[in-house]
């Protein structure tokens, strides 16, 4: 019996190591899927905004003849924002910063568009415009919620793969830290609205 004891101990250790590795991998996969689902929700919220922008621009264009540069800025910002694609499995800080910057350009252009619309009382009273304006406000709230939920999904994933001993093996299993959404540069300064 004594000669089999080392083999029994080694076999027990192998089984324990296998159970731990399986548990670590499966939990990391589940958390990674939650991050990817949250990223999909972020993309959906931004897509909703990009779809609404076309309707808003057409409504404004049909009801008022305002500065062409504002309209052009909105259209260009929307095109730039929709051109940036990110793979949720390999989000890098640089990709997220570029995506965030492009989406910030859309927000800024929309803000200028809505301020310029204030000059046109007949447009402000237009029911279609009021509905679109409400939809845009709702969409911006959905974007904020989606981004917050994305960060909430990233936190447990990053925590799981960063804890010891998981951190020693996360790279072996192919799990890397995910990047959080951060505020765009200049977001800490108040927005200046001029009429």
């Amino acid at each position: 019996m004594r000669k089999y004891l080392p083999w029994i101990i080694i076999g027990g250790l192998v089984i324990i190591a296998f159970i731990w590795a399986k548990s670590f991998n499966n939990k990391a996969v589940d958390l990674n899927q939650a991050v990817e689902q949250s990223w999909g929700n972020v993309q959906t919220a931004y897509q909703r905004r990009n779809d609404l922008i076309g309707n808003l621009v057409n409504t404004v264009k049909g009801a008022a003849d305002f500065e062409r540069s504002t309209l052009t800025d909105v259209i260009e910002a929307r095109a730039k924002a929709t051109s940036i694609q990110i793979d949720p499995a390999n989000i890098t800080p640089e990709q997220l910063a570029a995506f965030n910057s492009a989406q910030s350009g859309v927000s800024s252009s929309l803000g200028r568009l809505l301020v310029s619309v204030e000059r046109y009382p007949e447009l402000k009273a237009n029911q279609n415009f009021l509905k679109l304006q409400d939809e845009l406000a709702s969409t911006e709230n959905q974007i904020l919620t989606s981004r917050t939920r994305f960060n909430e999904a990233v936190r447990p994933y990053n925590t799981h793969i960063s804890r010891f001993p998981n951190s020693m093996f996360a790279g072996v299993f192919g799990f890397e830290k995910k990047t959080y959404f951060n505020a765009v540069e200049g977001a800490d300064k108040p927005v200046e609205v001029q009429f």
Side-chain angles (χ1 to χ4, degrees), residues 113-159:
L113 173 65
L114 294 174
V115 167
S116 70
V117 163
E118 292 293 326
R119 298 181 191 149
Y120 299 95
E122 70 279 358
L123 182 59
K124 288 192 306 187
N126 181 313
Q127 289 300 328
N128 290 336
F129 179 75
L130 292 175
K131 182 165 176 21
L132 281 170
Q133 199 171 14
D134 287 344
E135 286 293 326
L136 277 173
S138 170
T139 300
E140 292 301 320
N141 285 334
Q142 286 180 7
I143 290 170
L144 172 63
T145 300
S146 295
R147 288 172 58 153
T148 301
R149 288 185 180 153
F150 174 79
N151 283 348
E152 289 171 353
V154 167
R155 187 191 57 75
Y157 171 83
N158 283 348
T159 301

Side-chain angles (χ1 to χ4, degrees), residues 69-90:
S69 64
T70 304
L71 178 61
T72 303
D73 288 349
V74 171
I75 293 169
E76 287 174 0
R78 176 183 178 223
K80 182 178 178 185
T82 57
S83 70
I84 296 178
Q85 300 296 319
I86 296 179
D87 175 13
N90 301 313

Side-chain angles (χ1 to χ4, degrees), residues 1 12 19 35 58-59 63 68 70 87 100 109 118 121 125-126 130 133 137 144 149 155 158 175-176 179 182 185 195:
M1 186 70 174
I19 291 170
V35 169
N58 289 335
T59 301
R68 291 278 175 229
T70 304
D87 175 13
N100 224 4
S109 296
E118 292 293 326
N126 181 313
L130 292 175
Q133 199 171 14
L144 172 63
R149 288 185 180 153
R155 187 191 57 75
N158 283 348
F175 296 107
E176 296 179 8
T179 304
N182 293 315
E185 194 172 321
F195 294 100

Side-chain angles (χ1 to χ4, degrees), residues 36 39 43 84-92 95 150 178:
E36 289 188 20
W39 179 250
Q43 293 285 72
I84 296 178
Q85 300 296 319
I86 296 179
D87 175 13
N90 301 313
I91 297 174
T92 65
Q95 289 175 326
F150 174 79
K178 303 285 186 191

Side-chain angles (χ1 to χ4, degrees), residues 44-107:
T44 301
Y46 279 122
Q47 184 62 50
R48 181 173 190 254
R49 178 173 71 178
N50 288 333
D51 293 344
L52 282 172
I53 289 172
N55 292 332
L56 176 63
V57 168
N58 289 335
T59 301
V60 171
K61 192 190 315 181
D65 184 24
F66 66 98
E67 276 184 65
R68 291 278 175 229
S69 64
T70 304
L71 178 61
T72 303
D73 288 349
V74 171
I75 293 169
E76 287 174 0
R78 176 183 178 223
K80 182 178 178 185
T82 57
S83 70
I84 296 178
Q85 300 296 319
I86 296 179
D87 175 13
N90 301 313
I91 297 174
T92 65
E94 295 79 20
Q95 289 175 326
L96 197 57
F99 181 82
N100 224 4
S101 176
Q103 295 301 334
S104 174
V106 174
S107 296

